[in-house]
Amino acid sequence: AQSVAQPEDQVNVAEGNPLTVKCTYSVSGNPYLFWYVQYPNRGLQFLLKYITGDNLVKGSYGFEAEFNKSQTSFHLKKPSALVSDSALYFCAVRDAVGIYGGATNKLIFGTGTLLAVQP
Amino acid sequence: EAQVTQNPRYLITVTGKKLTVTCSQNMNHEYMSWYRQDPGLGLRQIYYSMNVEVTDKGDVPEGYKVSRKEKRNFPLILESPSPNQTSLYFCASSYLSGGTGSTGELFFGEGSRLTVL
């Protein structure tokens, strides 16, 4: 079964420092991987995705993620953190096959990582 | 503005009192889904719909019902709410994977925080 793991419940980083939020995945076949961000009292917002191609994916708000097939990882990164980046971050993988055998839109989410950026 | 709209945003109710959380999207998406978010568990899918009149169970469907009579609306119904359904609920929508070149990223509503006493 498809799954993702976010090993850190919380990541603390000082403003201006680089940040990394970790995600590892387990899939059968080629992975479709996503990062979403959730600000307090808001819904999830799409940040970026990896489908195929370049292993370094650039997304919204200056975030990027590196797909590493050998390590089955898809870590989220940003060169210089901002206090406004403080939020809950979710990694997700698209489920492989739907119940009718075709493509599926179902996303399987990790448990989330709370990013706290200190001024 | 493209959006997914959920109502109510906040609700406190009592055990057994039927309630409906509405969800509407204005992007003409075929696929719609409900998730619940609980601390330490991430988001788990409750039900989903591939199109009008096509719905199916997700990973945690017990105690919930849905309907898809129109393409834009996908209400979540709790016939007899119980305290273990206290949670944050999200509706999401997308084009079907492979359709119009979409890779199926989901667009989420703002969430509905439900408390069942």
Side-chain angles (χ1 to χ4, degrees):
Chain A
Q2 319 283 79
S3 66
V4 292
Q6 295 180 244
E8 301 156 317
D9 291 334
Q10 182 162 338
V11 169
N12 298 304
V13 64
E15 188 173 32
N17 285 0
L19 69 88
T20 298
V21 183
K22 295 180 180 177
C23 173
T24 59
Y25 65 88
S26 174
V27 303
S28 54
N30 295 321
Y32 282 27
L33 295 160
F34 300 81
W35 275 102
Y36 282 81
V37 60
Q38 183 182 23
Y39 297 102
N41 299 314
R42 301 296 300 276
L44 278 74
Q45 297 178 31
F46 170 75
L47 274 180
L48 51 79
K49 65 185 177 188
Y50 172 82
I51 305 301
T52 187
D54 196 347
N55 288 346
L56 186 64
V57 179
K58 293 190 184 299
S60 307
Y61 312 123
F63 284 93
E64 57 190 26
E66 186 171 12
F67 172 71
N68 188 316
K69 189 171 183 177
S70 63
Q71 297 186 7
T72 61
S73 66
F74 189 55
H75 300 332
L76 182 70
K77 300 183 179 188
K78 188 173 183 181
S80 179
L82 300 172
V83 173
S84 57
D85 292 329
S86 299
L88 187 58
Y89 290 81
F90 288 97
C91 182
V93 64
R94 201 177 82 183
D95 207 359
V97 176
I99 63 168
Y100 301 111
T104 174
N105 286 55
K106 177 183 177 182
L107 292 186
I108 298 169
F109 287 86
T111 52
T113 299
L114 183 65
L115 173 65
V117 181
Q118 283 89 34
Chain B
E1 180 189 354
Q3 58 186 1
V4 179
T5 303
Q6 299 178 224
N7 281 295
R9 294 287 314 279
Y10 302 91
L11 179 63
I12 300 174
T13 189
V14 295
T15 299
K17 186 175 181 181
K18 180 180 178 180
L19 68 92
T20 299
V21 185
T22 63
C23 174
S24 181
Q25 51 93 4
N26 62 0
M27 294 168 279
N28 203 34
H29 287 161
E30 297 90 3
Y31 182 89
M32 297 186 75
S33 180
W34 278 101
Y35 285 83
R36 59 177 289 173
Q37 181 183 1
D38 301 289
L41 297 177
L43 282 83
R44 295 176 292 168
Q45 189 184 56
I46 304 170
Y47 267 93
Y48 68 94
S49 170
M50 304 280 278
N51 216 322
V52 175
E53 302 292 2
V54 181
T55 64
D56 216 325
K57 298 176 181 178
D59 298 318
V60 288
E62 294 78 19
Y64 304 96
K65 285 175 57 177
V66 292
S67 68
R68 187 90 182 271
K69 294 183 170 57
E70 304 164 290
K71 196 172 186 179
R72 64 183 293 128
N73 296 323
F74 190 46
L76 179 69
I77 302 157
L78 285 75
E79 293 272 1
S80 182
S82 62
N84 65 13
Q85 292 178 297
T86 293
S87 187
L88 180 57
Y89 292 87
F90 287 103
C91 181
S93 71
S94 72
Y95 293 112
L96 280 177
S97 294
T100 65
S102 168
T103 49
E105 63 255 36
L106 293 173
F107 292 81
F108 283 83
E110 297 279 274
S112 297
R113 185 168 294 281
L114 170 65
T115 301
V116 183
L117 301 174

